[in-house]
Amino acid sequence: MMSYWVLFIGIAVVSWLVQMNLQNKFKKYSKIPTGNGMTGRDVALKMLHDNGIYDVQVTHTPGQLTDHYNPTNKTVNLSEGVYESNSIMAAAVAAHECGHAVQHASMYAPLKMRSALVPVVNFASSIMTWVLLGGILMVNTFPQLLLAGIILFAMTTLFSFITLPVEINASKRALVWLSSSGITNSYNHAQAEDALRSAAYTYVVAALGSLATLVYYIMIFMGRRD
């Protein structure tokens, strides 16, 4: 059991380091202009239109690193530091989020699967903590409750792993388009790639952390006294 605590602490430390690295990259590449004066909003609109997508709106959302694509209302939501910025970071992030819109338009299978899981994961997340807590407290008298919690947590873990190919593919689409459209060049394309790679690491660490926690709950369930 001690080894699992070491694992959890290790994952927590790595997660913190990855987040700090992403924030540092955001600050660094936010100071480097693309050279063409296009803002994150401009880049997003161009990528959408270049891919024949005209029914997706580009809006701004409060906060930092809060950028996301919403398939429900077809909006690319860019954070304050991306929407009006003409930096290489803004271009990379905007193109990445538009990559999700392109996935949606092309019926990309992993994105469809992730979208289908959203209601299930939202429900699981809303009650999972209490079910797991009650299950651990009553593991020897009512183990079925912990098993139910494990199933709920497994759904969130599955969601984390399905998210990985969705995010990686969106970044690949973004980088190919940034290069082919001339938004990036031989001098700054590597910086855009580095920025998106740093963002992808956060999803990898989150998925591994979720898997480790799931295994921990399973061990508690398997080790109960009948």
Side-chain angles (χ1 to χ4, degrees), residues 77-194:
N77 303 273
L78 302 178
S79 61
E80 297 169 348
V82 171
Y83 188 81
E84 296 181 348
S85 172
N86 65 349
S87 67
I88 190 64
M89 187 71 184
V93 171
H96 171 87
E97 298 307 331
C98 288
H100 291 308
V102 176
Q103 289 174 338
H104 190 193
S106 61
M107 305 291 285
Y108 182 60
L111 179 64
K112 288 176 61 180
M113 190 180 302
R114 187 177 73 166
S115 298
L117 281 175
V118 168
V120 178
V121 171
N122 287 342
F123 170 75
S125 300
S126 67
I127 64 171
M128 182 174 62
T129 301
W130 298 108
V131 174
L132 286 169
L133 179 60
I136 291 174
L137 293 175
M138 296 186 291
V139 64
N140 294 314
T141 56
F142 187 36
Q144 293 83 358
L145 184 60
L146 179 56
L147 180 59
I150 289 173
I151 292 173
L152 292 173
F153 197 92
M155 296 303 299
T156 64
T157 301
L158 176 62
F159 186 82
S160 296
F161 276 91
I162 291 176
T163 294
L164 292 180
V166 174
E167 297 298 331
I168 293 172
N169 178 264
S171 289
K172 287 182 178 179
R173 292 174 188 263
L175 290 169
V176 169
W177 177 82
L178 285 170
S179 179
S180 64
S181 64
I183 303 298
T184 58
N185 52 45
S186 58
Y187 299 102
N188 57 26
H189 187 78
Q191 297 167 338
E193 187 174 5
D194 185 37

Side-chain angles (χ1 to χ4, degrees), residues 9 19 36 61 69 85 107 133 157:
I9 294 173
Q19 287 290 342
N36 55 23
T61 184
Y69 170 67
S85 172
M107 305 291 285
L133 179 60
T157 301

Side-chain angles (χ1 to χ4, degrees), residues 34 36-50 58-59 76 78 82-87 90-92 94-95 98 177-178 181 183:
T34 56
N36 55 23
M38 293 180 68
T39 64
R41 177 182 180 276
D42 297 332
V43 170
L45 287 172
K46 179 171 173 54
M47 182 171 176
L48 291 172
H49 295 169
D50 283 357
V58 179
T59 65
V76 170
L78 302 178
V82 171
Y83 188 81
E84 296 181 348
S85 172
N86 65 349
S87 67
C98 288
W177 177 82
L178 285 170
S181 64
I183 303 298

Side-chain angles (χ1 to χ4, degrees), residues 25-41:
K25 292 288 177 65
F26 187 92
K27 292 178 181 178
K28 177 182 177 181
Y29 295 144
S30 291
K31 298 177 182 178
I32 302 175
T34 56
N36 55 23
M38 293 180 68
T39 64
R41 177 182 180 276

